[in-house]
Amino acid sequence: MGTPEKPFTPTLIEQFKLSDTYIDGAFALEQGFIFSAMILACITVYIIERKFRQAAYWSIVAAVISWVGLIHSYRWSVADTVVNFGWGTGTPWAIGYVMLAILFFYVDWQERRKA
């Protein structure tokens, strides 16, 4: 694998799934991993500190930069996956982050109602 005769293709993901290894998530985390790590760390810290509104804001940041392909978006090359910049290239990830932000705003609202 990874040669011009046998390049990496999406069929590689199916081969990994046969051994219960979901490598597509690893490929997605590989692209922009520094940004992903920093943002996910921020979200985690704000959850621990029960500052859900700040966690929601960081989720929105993650949604924007994943939508433009700065994180999580990849395309296949002969021997690797490479970042795939462009409007909407990370749309599925962006939708997930927006849903997470909505959840955090809801939890923040519930916390404020209790107080």
Side-chain angles (χ1 to χ4, degrees), residues 7-56:
F8 279 10
T9 63
T11 59
L12 181 66
I13 292 173
E14 297 306 318
Q15 292 172 357
F16 271 96
K17 283 183 181 177
L18 293 175
S19 65
D20 289 332
T21 305
Y22 293 87
I23 199 74
D24 49 340
F27 288 147
L29 284 173
E30 173 191 20
Q31 305 307 322
F33 74 94
I34 295 291
F35 293 125
S36 299
M38 289 189 306
I39 290 170
L40 292 174
C42 287
I43 291 171
T44 302
V45 166
Y46 285 126
I47 290 171
I48 292 169
E49 293 179 353
R50 303 185 63 80
K51 295 180 178 179
F52 299 109
R53 184 174 292 181
Q54 286 83 355

Side-chain angles (χ1 to χ4, degrees), residues 48-67:
I48 292 169
E49 293 179 353
R50 303 185 63 80
K51 295 180 178 179
F52 299 109
R53 184 174 292 181
Q54 286 83 355
Y57 293 149
W58 277 106
S59 297
I60 291 169
V61 169
V64 170
I65 66 174
S66 65
W67 189 76

Side-chain angles (χ1 to χ4, degrees), residues 80-92:
D80 199 4
T81 57
V82 294
V83 70
N84 186 23
F85 294 115
W87 296 113
T89 58
T91 299

